[in-house]
Amino acid sequence: MPREAKAHRDFTQLRYAQCWEDADVLLEALDIQPGQACLSIASAGDNTLSLLTADPNRVVAIDLSPAQLACLALRVAAYRSLEHSELLELIGSVDSDQRPKLYERCRRELASDARAYWDTHPKEIARGIGDAGKFEAYFRTFRRRILPWVHSGRSVQRLLAGGDRSAREQFYEQTWNSRRWRWLFRAFFSRRVMGWLGRSPAFFRYVDGPVAPRILARARHALVELDPADNPYLHWILTGRHRVGPDAKSTVLPHALRREHFDAIRTRLDRLTWRRASLEDALEDQTLGPIDRYNLSDIFEYVSADQHARQLARMVDRSPAGTRWVYWNMLAPRARPESLAGRVASHDALAHRLHAQDNAFFYNRLVIEQVRP
């Protein structure tokens, strides 16, 4: 998170209890090679942990929010202390009444600051730590108070069943995309309501024009062009759980929570460190060492275009040729300025292809940039 955001955001609150960027897209975009070093915005921790599956030498997570770092710390403790099925229970991917007991098993692995945070949030633990953030509460309100006014539970299940593209489009146009759906969607995902209930009001500081129509268009993409049956983010938004069946084929989970990645993450946790820092702090830290890959989430939504350009210039100055970074634009357009065109290459074709298959569908653009030789 950039320093500029610090003046406009409250960092005492847990805003994101899950990472709402598609880690499958992130990993292909970053193209991490074994032995490389990564820097990652911590957020809730899921995508930072996913980086370990690519066999990097080390991963450094940074965030200005102690609450977000506590979220990452608890996930690390869970991978160390629990089995895979128990991790899904603690997250909230599946129903469970054992979460307080599972937390107690993880608690001994937590440092005092993370332990102090989670000890004061027993209700969030009991509900599932993946539902503990402000953004997740926003979706919970949508799911419980808005969606039932538009669509029945049967319609939701039909949507999540997916199907071929023709069937998805027919269902969307004839059943889902009603006048009431469009009206309530535009109201609930307006700038005012999102700033009040969902993301920080500072998120809209550099956003021009209406917000909801852009998100509605991306929602249509997720419901028609992509298959909802395979979308773990959509399953959570509409049901409050992930889809977990008796086998891998019937299970839909984000990358870090899949059974096939559990052991790789668990055995490489000693390669992960985290600290409270802004991106500028990290770039100025001479002890950090060289970084080959940067997962920057959507942090540039919170800064001006000039500040974004200055941050990229600092990254180029400290980075060897071939260093790559990835970030998302949701509403504020940010990409390499022309002043850096001679030093930074933009992988637009790859970014466009990956964005088209991005299950975390809110974002308008994926940006992949790399230091030129």
Side-chain angles (χ1 to χ4, degrees), residues 350-369:
L350 175 61
H352 181 76
R353 177 176 66 80
L354 291 177
H355 183 241
Q357 64 192 52
D358 195 334
N359 277 316
F361 53 90
F362 337 100
Y363 299 98
N364 283 312
R365 184 180 182 185
L366 176 68
V367 181
I368 307 171
E369 297 168 342

Side-chain angles (χ1 to χ4, degrees), residues 10-77:
D10 173 13
F11 288 98
T12 62
Q13 182 180 28
L14 182 63
R15 293 194 174 275
Y16 305 104
Q18 299 182 45
C19 287
W20 293 94
E21 293 102 27
D22 190 334
D24 291 286
V25 167
L26 173 65
L27 287 167
E28 188 170 350
L30 281 174
D31 189 29
I32 301 166
Q33 300 302 306
Q36 289 186 326
C38 304
L39 184 141
S40 180
I41 301 301
S43 186
D46 311 276
N47 288 3
T48 295
L49 291 165
S50 283
L51 300 184
L52 293 172
T53 65
D55 199 21
N57 178 59
R58 59 194 178 96
V59 176
V60 179
I62 61 170
D63 210 291
L64 279 172
S65 168
Q68 296 299 154
L69 293 175
C71 206
L72 170 60
L74 182 51
R75 276 170 166 74
V76 171

Side-chain angles (χ1 to χ4, degrees), residues 61 78 126 199 243 269 274 286 298 342 347 353:
R199 310 193 74 161
R243 192 176 79 189
L269 289 173
W274 56 93
Q286 298 302 312
D298 64 348
H347 294 290
R353 177 176 66 80

Side-chain angles (χ1 to χ4, degrees), residues 1-6 9 11 15-16 39-42 62-65 68 277-281 296-303 311:
M1 186 63 63
R3 287 178 191 154
E4 182 183 337
K6 193 172 184 179
R9 286 188 59 190
F11 288 98
R15 293 194 174 275
Y16 305 104
L39 184 141
S40 180
I41 301 301
I62 61 170
D63 210 291
L64 279 172
S65 168
Q68 296 299 154
S278 67
L279 178 59
E280 294 97 322
D281 294 334
L296 298 178
S297 184
D298 64 348
I299 65 171
F300 297 126
E301 295 278 334
Y302 297 90
V303 303
Q311 296 238 12

